[in-house]
Amino acid sequence: MKPPSIDTRWLGRIDYDSALRLQEAALADVRAGATPGQFFLLEHEPVYTIGRTRDQSSLLATALLPHPVRETNRGGQATFHGPGQLVGYAILDLHDYGEDLHRYLRFLEQVVIDTIAAFGVAGARRDGLTGVWVEDRKIASIGVGVRHWVTMHGFGLNVRNDLAGFQSIIPCGISGVQMTSIERETGIPLSVETVAATAAEIFTRSAASLRTQNGTQP
C-alpha cells in the first residue's frame, strides 16, 4: 500500500536541470506506488523556461536574454525563475485526486491564494488566465505537465525576487502584464523558506481534503 502522506521537501537553491531530474525520479516512484506523492519547494538559479510549443514568441529575442533558457515538458508560455521566488513542484497521481486537470489547476491556485493570505496579501483568480493575481498584478505563475495522470511542475510564487528578469520576456504570453511579489505588496522582506513552510502545510492539508473528496482515504 502507498504510505499515508505526501513527502514535502525543502531543497533550498538548486539549478533547474537538477530539479527536473528529481521530478523525473519522483514521478517514477509515484507511478510505482512507492509514495502517494512528493512536493518539492525550492528556489532556482536564474533561468527562463517555456513549455513545448511552436509559438515561442513570449521569449522575444532568445539570444539577448540575460539568463539561460530551458524548454520543458509543461504547458504554457515563457516565465522567469530566480532567487527570491518560491517554486513548488507537485508530483501527484491524479487517479487519487480526481482525473480532472482543470480542477487540479484550480487546486494549485487555491494553495497559492491561501499561502499569500497568511502573509496579508489578497490573491485572486482571473477568468481565462491560469495563475494568481493581486488586483491587476500577477504574483504567481502556474504550469504543469501530466504523464500517465501523474503531475509534474507546479507554481512560481514571487516572494522577494528581483522582478527585472520578467522584463526581457512576455510573462506567460500576456502582453503588458505587471508582475508583483509578496514583498512589493507588503513591504515585508520575508525569507523564501518561511513562505515555503506555510505553503507546505497548506498544500498537504488541501491535498488530503481533495483526496477525500475523490473518495480516497488520506
Side-chain angles (χ1 to χ4, degrees):
M1 292 182 63
K2 295 177 182 178
S5 62
I6 294 170
D7 178 23
T8 63
R9 296 171 58 189
W10 166 247
L11 301 180
R13 188 165 164 178
I14 183 172
D15 67 89
Y16 188 82
D17 295 338
S18 295
L20 186 59
R21 287 192 292 270
L22 286 173
Q23 289 189 78
E24 293 282 2
L27 187 145
D29 286 344
V30 170
R31 285 203 67 201
T35 172
Q38 298 193 41
F39 185 43
F40 300 135
L41 292 153
L42 55 115
E43 297 176 75
H44 273 314
E45 301 292 347
V47 64
Y48 294 101
T49 67
I50 190 167
R52 290 177 178 168
T53 173
R54 290 183 178 181
D55 178 13
Q56 298 196 346
S57 58
S58 58
L59 284 173
L60 299 177
T62 304
L64 300 179
L65 291 175
H67 304 296
V69 176
R70 293 291 184 269
E71 183 178 309
T72 193
N73 57 338
R74 62 160 175 80
Q77 287 288 335
T79 194
F80 172 70
H81 300 298
Q85 180 191 71
L86 173 62
V87 174
Y89 289 143
I91 319 299
L92 297 179
D93 186 345
L94 291 186
H95 290 104
D96 296 329
Y97 297 91
E99 297 174 18
D100 186 331
L101 184 55
H102 292 287
R103 184 186 187 195
Y104 176 65
L105 290 170
R106 303 294 83 77
F107 160 77
L108 289 179
E109 288 171 341
Q110 194 61 50
V111 167
V112 173
I113 289 169
D114 291 347
T115 297
I116 64 177
F119 300 100
V121 180
R125 300 180 177 89
R126 292 183 70 179
D127 289 343
L129 297 173
T130 300
V132 177
W133 302 74
V134 181
E135 297 177 351
D136 61 347
R137 304 175 295 282
K138 194 169 190 182
I139 196 168
S141 301
I142 293 175
V144 302
V146 179
R147 190 183 305 164
H148 304 287
W149 284 110
V150 179
T151 67
M152 295 178 65
H153 305 289
F155 64 78
L157 168 60
N158 300 324
V159 177
R160 57 175 310 182
N161 43 318
D162 182 358
L163 301 176
F166 290 101
Q167 296 175 6
S168 299
I169 61 173
I170 302 173
C172 302
I174 305 172
S175 297
V177 66
Q178 181 182 354
M179 304 301 292
T180 191
S181 66
I182 294 176
E183 183 176 59
R184 179 165 291 189
E185 295 296 324
T186 66
I188 301 172
L190 295 166
S191 73
V192 176
E193 190 169 3
T194 295
V195 179
T198 297
E201 179 182 348
I202 289 170
F203 180 91
T204 52
R205 183 175 67 243
S206 300
S209 176
L210 184 63
R211 191 172 163 93
T212 300
Q213 291 169 28
N214 191 51
T216 306
Q217 291 300 315

